[in-house]
Amino acid sequence: MESDGEGTPPPEQACGAGHRASHSLPTSAGGRVCLSCAVALLSSASSAPAHHVSHALASLSLALADPAFLEPLRAAHPRLLAAPLADALAGAAARRDAGLAAQASDLAADLAAAVGPPAASELVARIARVLSSGSLVKHLHTLHCLGILLNSTKDAAAYIGDKHSLYLNLVNDLRLPSDEIRGEILFVLYKLSLLNATPWDDIHGNNNVDLSAIGRSLIQFSLEVLLKTQNDAVRLNCVALLLTLAKKGAFDILLFSDQSLINSAEAEDYVPLNASLVILFADAVKGSLLSTNIEVQTGTLELIFHFLSSDANIFVLQTLIDENVADYVFEVLRLSGNNDPLVIASIQVLSLLANSEERFKEKLAVAFSTLLPVLHYVSEIPFHPVQSQVLQLVCICIVNCSGILSLSQEEQIACTLSAILRRNGNGELGMSSETFALVCSMLVEILKSPSADDVQKLPSFLEEASKLAISLTFSHEYDCLFLVPHSLLLLKETLIFCLEGNKDQILRKKALEDSIIETCKTYLLPWLESAVVDGNDEETLSGILQIFQIILSRASDDKSFKFAEMLASSSWFSLSFGFMGLFPTDHVKSAVYLVISSIVDKVLGFSYGETIRDACIYLPPDPAELMYLLGQCSLEDFNLASCQCAILVILYVCSFYNERLAADNQILASVEQYILLNGGRFPHEIPGSLMLTLLVHLYAFVRGISFRFSIPHSPEAEKILFHAMACKEWDLLLIRVHLIALKWLFQNEELMEPLSFHLLNFCKTFCEDRTVMLSSSSQLVDIQMIVELVYTGETCISSLLVSLLSHMVKEGTEDEVLSVANVITEIIVTFPCTSDQFTSCGIIDALGSIYFSLYSSRIKTVCSLLIFNILHSASATTFTCDNDVWLALTMKLLDSFNSSLDYTSSDQEQKILIGILCLILNHSANKVLIEPAKAIILNNCLVLLMDGIVQEACAKGPSLFQHNQETAFGELLILMLLLIFFSLRRYGAVLLLHLIACV
């Protein structure tokens, strides 16, 4: 390098050695660099003084950074320095001059970067040639330089002449003891693999090469390096190389000598030829997994993942598990601190290891607590890459390691799973389909664990999770039908869970049961209503029907009845036949009829649903066919008779919810045809009284409806049924009854005799319980129905009750008299205006007979109260025709009154009698009951009693104020004063004269 001082660069001239002037390139500092001199010196670097070569390298390094030098070099001499620089690098390596070699290596890299492909390609070719033969023990920097060139030069592999020799030499020298050399070799091999410059990438050009042998050597030597080294840089290069090979499928070729055995029948017992290589792999990766370098750990985990993904997966899995690689991966996961790349890589490996379930589950059980923080971490991140894999691992442990979970862990997992569903339910959409399925499956497994009932907060988590799962999959906004089976399974198992256990456990889960029933009402029932229109899948329909059946058959009586009422009120029977039409399979038909039978059990009681279950296999799926079957003769066909009983039950229950499986006239015609052909005879296996009762009520209902719309009927069918009602056993109160049917029955005078018997039974039961209770608390026939029929005045119930009372009085049956009187009293108290009806029917005559008979004071008290209510509420015109009856009754009441009452009496019956006398006197002011009123006024004993009570009251003086209506004397005094008041209103003068005469 020459310099002419400052100023403009001198004109082009040759150097002092006489080299060509064109090789003398200027610098911006005013000097020149003779390329020929540099070439000559570098080419003889092995023999030239080291400091000369070093000076030349330093000068060239500075010149390459100078644009004045670089531009003409790049334009005119791009290749000139490459060859001698490669020689200089080789010479420095030969002299084992590490400093000079490092300097030459750096300059070569700078030259390739500055000049570009012309220099780079030459450098790659020459350096590769140097490294293709001989020991690489002294070529640390040469290897480093080639690695840099391969990393920075485009298509660098194309400039390597003998790739096979280079590759083979590099592989063989992996056995060198130096970590630095092996690290550089591994990096070069890694780059060659990336550049597709390996023997496997040129199979056609290596026909005589044993690729398996090279591959086995490469993997074995690389794994030995990985096993022995403690240097993270070497580990990183080694892992990078092995990972690249794994991605290319090299392991599939190298692990087994006979690939045909892998999937053969003998594969399970087949021991691979290179089992030692797999064991070496397992031992080698352990150290890298324990490295503190996250990049090394992540790369190693990726390597294991691809290694496990080979065709020989089953053998590799078992070996790695047996060699405790899973334990190391769990340890990486435990110490990861939720580092996302580490978490992802670890879980991917563990998911593959889990494919060997039998061997892996023991490892998983030991390290299970490590997964729980990871589960919580991935659940917080929407669509986390390994969210489903973590869930799968936890699920495997729950399924295969029964009893491993503590109560707190079960609660923690349930809480996390509920949170996943909650976030998705809030619109975050942070969950894949696989995740959803796994969440449902895991919750189901927790539900099945023996300790589920002991997890205090589990019901609340399940309440939220089951509702969210159903709402997500049954929303019309998203097409989630493929997830529906998972949500339905979760809901079903949750329902079973809340219905099982001891009494305290079931009580604690009451809110969960309520939530499930509400979920069915809010989501599943509307979906079923749309299913008939949309034609959705049969599996979903069956799943929902199964859940409904569990509620109806196993929930508490109150809840199951309300649920049955809710379904029946939602056009369930029409929907049911729609389901059977949409899915004409035996499975759907059986499921639909089973639910119908359970609804019938709840709303009718007495196991009427059993008739449907017994005949289910023969019942048709079409309502029109039901009507046809009902109108057939079944005297010789038990199966048909069973079907007809089931049809009658279905039609009757439908009528309560304003559902019609056919037109009213068609239903009436079918029922009449049934009566005409079968005469109300039922199979011996079916209780005749139950079915005849139902037939009576159904016929009465359809007749009551048909009467409204003037639908013609069959008198012959009516006659046959009336005859059956008179001759056979049936019970008006046995099942739930329509007011329409009851009204029609009590409008027929032909039925008065059989109806009087049932009405008497009603009165007896009402007297005992104040209500008529059927098979469950929901099936009630209350007094209100009878009251309403009396109130309308369209039936003969009032006259029938009076007739019953008269008959019972004549029979002398005290309890029956009491029952009928109580019912009549209740009717009058509820609707006072009905007093006129009972009075017109002759009730006073019947009541008067009681006072002429030897009945107990209890009966007389009840009858006196009834008379009091009649007098209190009936209109005055009602009493115009029965003056003699009332007079006889009044005289008998006065006799009873006089025989026992004194001013100290506290008998309730006598006080009611005084009230009756007051009301008779009050009515006499309206010119009715004149004679009974006179009899009261002119009764001497009554006058004396009144006088005695008044005198007693006067004698008490000021202390009389202490005798109010709450005392016996006070009550009697008030009643007597009222009697005097009503007497004075009409007959004041007569009474006054009578009192004077008595005094």
Side-chain angles (χ1 to χ4, degrees):
M1 182 178 292
E2 300 175 353
S3 176
D4 296 327
E6 297 181 0
T8 58
E12 189 177 280
Q13 57 183 347
C15 69
H19 295 132
R20 287 190 301 176
S22 61
H23 284 191
S24 179
L25 302 183
T27 66
S28 58
R32 285 183 173 277
V33 175
C34 179
L35 296 181
S36 296
C37 291
V39 167
L41 181 60
L42 296 176
S43 298
S44 59
S46 58
S47 57
H51 63 279
H52 288 174
V53 178
S54 177
H55 178 72
L57 292 173
S59 299
L60 286 173
S61 181
L62 290 173
L64 284 176
D66 188 348
F69 173 82
L70 183 58
E71 290 179 9
L73 176 67
R74 186 184 293 155
H77 314 287
R79 295 178 178 273
L80 189 57
L81 292 176
L85 190 54
D87 292 340
L89 181 57
R95 297 167 61 170
R96 299 206 174 184
D97 189 334
L100 191 61
Q103 199 173 2
S105 175
D106 292 341
L107 182 58
D110 291 342
L111 179 65
V115 176
S121 61
E122 186 72 20
L123 284 168
V124 169
R126 288 181 176 272
I127 294 175
R129 194 179 306 121
V130 170
L131 298 175
S132 294
S133 61
S135 175
L136 303 178
V137 68
K138 56 189 176 182
H139 283 289
L140 173 63
H141 296 287
T142 310
L143 288 166
H144 182 74
C145 182
L146 181 59
I148 293 175
L149 293 173
L150 292 175
N151 191 49
S152 60
T153 305
K154 185 179 181 182
D155 299 327
Y159 309 125
I160 301 175
D162 190 355
K163 298 184 182 68
H164 176 68
S165 297
L166 173 63
Y167 203 85
L168 191 60
N169 199 42
L170 291 169
V171 171
N172 289 332
D173 278 9
L174 278 174
R175 291 174 292 180
L176 293 173
S178 170
D179 260 356
E180 290 182 312
I181 292 290
R182 289 184 297 192
E184 295 297 344
I185 292 174
L186 290 168
F187 184 79
V188 172
L189 288 172
Y190 164 62
K191 287 300 176 182
L192 289 175
S193 296
L194 285 182
L195 295 170
N196 297 320
T198 68
W200 297 280
D201 298 312
D202 188 18
I203 296 177
H204 298 293
N206 296 286
N207 293 331
N208 298 322
V209 178
D210 186 357
L211 296 179
S212 296
I214 298 175
R216 281 195 296 273
S217 298
L218 172 62
I219 291 178
Q220 182 171 346
F221 297 159
S222 300
L223 291 174
E224 288 175 353
V225 171
L226 190 61
L227 176 65
K228 296 174 183 178
T229 186
Q230 299 296 319
N231 188 313
D232 282 336
V234 177
R235 285 172 172 162
L236 195 59
N237 290 340
C238 189
V239 169
L241 170 62
L242 292 171
L243 184 57
T244 304
L245 294 174
K247 290 179 178 179
K248 290 189 174 188
F251 289 129
D252 295 339
I253 301 171
L254 303 175
L255 288 178
F256 298 92
S257 58
D258 189 352
Q259 291 295 304
S260 64
L261 291 176
I262 293 177
N263 297 318
S264 67
E266 298 83 6
E268 188 172 342
D269 300 322
Y270 173 68
V271 179
L273 182 64
N274 293 318
S276 59
L277 197 62
V278 181
I279 295 174
L280 177 61
F281 178 89
D283 291 335
V285 297
K286 293 175 183 176
S288 297
L289 289 174
L290 296 180
S291 171
T292 57
N293 187 307
I294 293 179
E295 194 175 357
V296 171
Q297 288 181 305
T298 305
T300 305
L301 290 166
E302 290 181 10
L303 172 60
I304 298 173
F305 174 79
H306 286 282
F307 190 72
L308 291 172
S309 302
S310 66
D311 290 340
N313 181 269
I314 183 63
F315 305 105
V316 176
L317 282 177
Q318 293 174 356
T319 304
L320 263 60
I321 293 172
D322 292 342
E323 293 299 317
N324 302 317
V325 171
D327 298 336
Y328 284 81
V329 178
F330 275 118
E331 185 65 11
V332 171
L333 190 61
R334 185 180 70 84
L335 300 174
S336 65
N338 290 339
N339 179 278
D340 211 48
L342 272 183
V343 169
I344 293 172
S346 299
I347 295 300
Q348 287 176 336
V349 170
L350 293 173
S351 295
L352 285 179
L353 291 173
N355 291 329
S356 181
E357 192 170 289
E358 286 301 317
R359 301 194 182 196
F360 180 70
K361 66 181 182 181
E362 296 179 4
K363 305 288 184 180
L364 182 59
V366 173
F368 179 69
S369 57
T370 301
L371 284 176
L372 296 185
V374 180
L375 174 63
H376 181 72
Y377 166 70
V378 299
S379 68
E380 295 285 341
I381 302 174
F383 291 108
H384 192 280
V386 294
Q387 189 178 73
S388 59
Q389 286 95 323
V390 175
L391 290 168
Q392 183 67 51
L393 290 171
V394 176
C395 189
I396 290 173
C397 192
I398 296 174
V399 172
N400 293 291
C401 307
S402 178
I404 190 173
L405 294 182
S406 65
L407 295 181
S408 61
Q409 286 176 331
E410 287 188 5
E411 186 173 297
Q412 178 185 350
I413 293 172
C415 178
T416 300
L417 298 177
S418 299
I420 293 175
L421 293 174
R422 186 189 315 120
R423 278 188 291 274
N424 199 78
N426 291 337
E428 295 181 18
L429 297 177
M431 177 173 55
S432 65
S433 299
E434 185 179 4
T435 295
F436 179 87
L438 284 167
V439 167
C440 293
S441 299
M442 290 172 65
L443 287 170
V444 168
E445 292 300 330
I446 292 174
L447 280 169
K448 292 180 179 179
S449 69
S451 59
D453 278 315
D454 298 323
V455 182
Q456 293 298 317
K457 294 184 179 179
L458 184 58
S460 62
F461 293 141
L462 291 172
E463 179 180 343
E464 179 184 28
S466 59
K467 182 177 181 179
L468 285 170
I470 292 296
S471 66
L472 288 170
T473 52
F474 282 86
S475 171
H476 293 286
E477 298 177 13
Y478 307 103
D479 184 14
C480 298
L481 283 180
F482 60 98
L483 294 177
V484 164
H486 301 285
S487 62
L488 287 178
L489 177 61
L490 173 60
L491 188 68
K492 185 186 80 170
E493 293 298 333
T494 303
L495 177 61
I496 294 172
F497 167 74
C498 72
L499 295 176
E500 292 181 342
N502 58 44
K503 185 176 181 181
D504 292 337
Q505 290 170 341
I506 294 175
L507 184 61
R508 184 164 57 87
K509 295 178 283 191
K510 179 180 179 298
L512 176 58
E513 182 185 2
D514 293 339
S515 174
I516 293 173
I517 294 176
E518 184 62 29
T519 298
C520 292
K521 178 180 178 181
T522 305
Y523 296 102
L524 299 188
L525 182 58
W527 187 91
L528 286 176
E529 292 171 346
S530 67
V532 177
V533 178
D534 299 338
N536 287 308
D537 63 304
E538 179 181 336
E539 182 182 2
T540 302
L541 172 64
S542 299
I544 295 175
L545 292 177
Q546 188 177 17
I547 292 172
F548 285 7
Q549 175 61 25
I550 293 172
I551 296 174
L552 291 168
S553 60
R554 298 178 59 179
S556 62
D557 288 341
D558 180 56
K559 292 178 182 177
S560 59
F561 172 76
K562 289 180 179 178
F563 189 71
E565 283 275 289
M566 184 271 294
L567 290 179
S569 301
S570 303
S571 303
W572 181 258
F573 297 93
S574 300
L575 280 175
S576 296
F577 286 99
F579 300 150
M580 290 187 282
L582 192 62
F583 304 106
T585 64
D586 290 339
H587 175 71
V588 169
K589 190 181 85 165
S590 298
V592 168
Y593 274 122
L594 183 60
V595 173
I596 289 177
S597 69
S598 296
I599 293 175
V600 169
D601 280 336
K602 294 302 175 182
V603 301
L604 280 188
F606 284 100
S607 299
Y608 274 102
E610 190 67 30
T611 61
I612 300 174
R613 289 188 286 274
D614 291 342
C616 172
I617 190 174
Y618 306 107
L619 288 172
D622 188 345
E625 295 180 30
L626 292 180
M627 297 298 102
Y628 172 77
L629 288 181
L630 185 60
Q632 304 302 306
C633 179
S634 60
L635 298 180
E636 303 297 330
D637 189 340
F638 171 77
N639 292 331
L640 177 58
S642 298
C643 286
Q644 289 173 332
C645 290
I647 294 168
L648 291 172
V649 170
I650 293 172
L651 290 176
Y652 187 62
V653 175
C654 284
S655 66
F656 282 101
Y657 303 97
N658 200 29
E659 272 203 86
R660 301 288 190 273
L661 299 183
D664 289 326
N665 59 341
Q666 185 179 356
I667 294 175
L668 176 60
S670 296
V671 173
E672 288 179 335
Q673 186 74 3
Y674 172 78
I675 295 171
L676 290 170
L677 294 177
N678 300 286
R681 284 173 285 185
F682 303 96
H684 296 297
E685 288 79 0
I686 299 175
S689 61
L690 297 180
M691 293 309 302
L692 180 58
T693 299
L694 184 137
L695 178 62
V696 168
H697 284 302
L698 176 60
Y699 181 78
F701 173 75
V702 294
R703 282 296 311 278
I705 293 294
S706 64
F707 180 77
R708 292 182 179 180
F709 301 103
S710 302
I711 299 174
H713 70 283
S714 168
E716 185 179 354
E718 181 182 279
K719 182 179 179 181
I720 292 174
L721 183 61
F722 284 2
H723 178 73
M725 293 170 64
C727 300
K728 296 184 179 181
E729 182 182 352
W730 65 286
D731 192 344
L732 178 71
L733 309 177
L734 192 62
I735 59 174
R736 192 173 177 179
V737 61
H738 275 283
L739 185 61
I740 294 174
L742 204 60
K743 179 179 178 180
W744 184 85
L745 287 171
F746 281 102
Q747 285 176 334
N748 288 273
E749 294 185 1
E750 301 96 322
L751 297 176
M752 289 304 101
E753 183 176 348
L755 287 178
S756 62
F757 170 76
H758 298 293
L759 191 57
L760 179 60
N761 287 338
F762 173 84
C763 294
K764 291 178 182 179
T765 310
F766 175 77
C767 187
E768 294 171 2
D769 302 329
R770 308 299 292 177
T771 58
V772 176
M773 191 77 71
L774 295 185
S775 61
S776 71
S777 60
S778 57
Q779 303 297 314
L780 300 176
V781 176
D782 57 20
I783 191 66
Q784 188 65 28
M785 189 174 288
I786 303 297
V787 170
E788 289 181 12
L789 290 176
V790 174
Y791 176 72
T792 59
E794 298 177 8
T795 65
C796 56
I797 289 185
S798 54
S799 60
L800 191 56
L801 285 170
V802 173
S803 176
L804 271 176
L805 183 63
S806 298
H807 182 70
M808 293 302 107
V809 170
K810 292 176 183 178
E811 291 288 331
T813 52
E814 188 169 300
D815 290 339
E816 283 79 356
V817 172
L818 185 65
S819 300
V820 177
N822 274 329
V823 169
I824 296 174
T825 301
E826 185 72 20
I827 294 172
I828 292 175
V829 170
T830 305
F831 283 111
C833 61
T834 57
S835 296
D836 292 342
Q837 289 188 45
F838 286 109
T839 304
S840 301
C841 293
I843 191 173
I844 302 303
D845 194 16
L847 292 173
S849 302
I850 294 174
Y851 292 95
F852 292 96
S853 305
L854 299 175
Y855 281 99
S856 66
S857 60
R858 181 170 70 103
I859 295 293
K860 293 181 179 179
T861 299
V862 171
C863 292
S864 298
L865 182 61
L866 177 55
I867 295 170
F868 179 88
N869 282 300
I870 292 173
L871 287 167
H872 178 263
S873 56
S875 60
T877 56
T878 308
F879 302 109
T880 56
C881 301
D882 297 326
N883 199 52
D884 294 339
V885 174
W886 278 106
L887 178 59
L889 176 62
T890 302
M891 297 303 296
K892 190 62 182 176
L893 291 177
L894 287 172
D895 290 343
S896 173
F897 180 81
N898 292 332
S899 64
S900 60
L901 186 65
D902 57 49
Y903 66 87
T904 60
S905 175
S906 59
D907 189 349
Q908 184 67 22
E909 179 188 352
Q910 304 302 331
K911 294 174 184 177
I912 296 174
L913 291 178
I914 296 174
I916 292 173
L917 299 178
C918 291
L919 290 174
I920 292 174
L921 291 171
N922 184 48
H923 279 293
S924 68
N926 296 319
K927 298 182 180 181
V928 295
L929 302 179
I930 301 297
E931 294 304 320
K934 287 180 180 180
I936 296 169
I937 293 296
L938 299 176
N939 189 282
N940 291 330
C941 293
L942 184 60
V943 173
L944 292 173
L945 180 61
M946 287 189 293
D947 180 61
I949 292 174
V950 171
Q951 289 183 12
E952 176 69 19
C954 294
K956 293 183 181 294
S959 65
L960 181 64
F961 289 103
Q962 298 177 3
H963 296 269
N964 54 27
Q965 67 267 24
E966 295 180 1
T967 65
F969 181 78
E971 291 180 358
L972 187 59
L973 177 60
I974 292 173
L975 289 172
M976 283 300 174
L977 291 175
L978 286 173
L979 185 59
I980 295 171
F981 169 76
F982 287 118
S983 300
L984 291 173
R985 284 185 63 193
R986 182 65 177 168
Y987 302 104
V990 176
L991 179 61
L992 182 59
L993 291 173
H994 187 67
L995 287 172
I996 293 171
C998 292
V999 173

